[in-house]
Amino acid sequence: MALQRVLVSLARRSFSTASTTSPMSRLFANTDYTPNPLEHASGIEKKQLIAELAGNDDPFDVSVVKRGACTKDQPQVVLSCNHERLVGCICEEDSESVVWMWLRQNESKRCACGYWFKLQKKEPL
Ligand SMILES: [Zn+2]
């Protein structure tokens, strides 16, 4: 019985000693530390964070673009680093549906509403 108490006491002592000196406990004990998401991000998320820090809020060109002239001579340019991209056209301002079409590199395409679009090469991030 006495040996059991000694072992439990040693286990508690070693557990409490280990928990106060481990890197994780020091990390949580330091309340001034604020993790930087850039340090933990990797891959495409890290590229997005770096682009946002550089002032580019839409690094992958996914935001809605207001159409320009959209004629055959001046088509709406859509950027992509891929060979093709799915593009949606809201044909009329009060339309409740989107007409989707695939655009291919350096190929102009006309939507059913008459607006022209063209996919242009963009260098990847
Ligand atoms: Zn359209």
Side-chain angles (χ1 to χ4, degrees):
M1 228 20 180
L3 179 63
Q4 189 177 17
R5 271 189 237 138
V6 169
L7 288 175
V8 169
S9 172
L10 283 174
R12 284 185 184 149
R13 190 177 315 151
S14 65
F15 178 75
S16 64
T17 303
S19 66
T20 56
T21 58
S22 72
M24 290 301 286
S25 65
R26 278 186 265 137
L27 178 68
F28 290 116
N30 184 1
T31 55
D32 296 336
Y33 179 75
T34 305
N36 184 352
L38 192 58
E39 294 174 7
H40 300 282
S42 64
I44 199 164
E45 182 185 7
K46 190 165 192 166
K47 289 179 180 180
Q48 182 178 5
L49 290 173
I50 291 171
E52 287 175 355
L53 284 174
N56 184 0
D57 290 335
D58 188 22
F60 303 114
D61 298 313
V62 293
S63 64
V64 176
V65 176
K66 191 85 172 171
R67 275 193 309 247
C70 292
T71 61
K72 188 173 185 176
D73 297 332
Q74 294 179 324
Q76 179 66 45
V77 174
V78 179
L79 299 174
S80 177
C81 57
N82 296 319
H83 296 294
E84 58 186 6
R85 182 173 180 175
L86 187 62
V87 176
C89 176
I90 303 173
C91 298
E92 295 179 22
E93 195 170 316
D94 57 347
S95 178
E96 295 178 357
S97 63
V98 178
V99 175
W100 297 98
M101 63 186 143
W102 284 98
L103 293 180
R104 291 183 176 70
Q105 286 287 345
N106 300 321
E107 179 182 298
S108 295
K109 192 166 191 177
R110 182 178 177 261
C111 180
C113 64
Y115 291 116
W116 285 82
F117 297 88
K118 183 177 183 180
L119 194 65
Q120 197 169 55
K121 181 80 174 168
K122 173 190 172 188
E123 292 303 316
L125 291 178

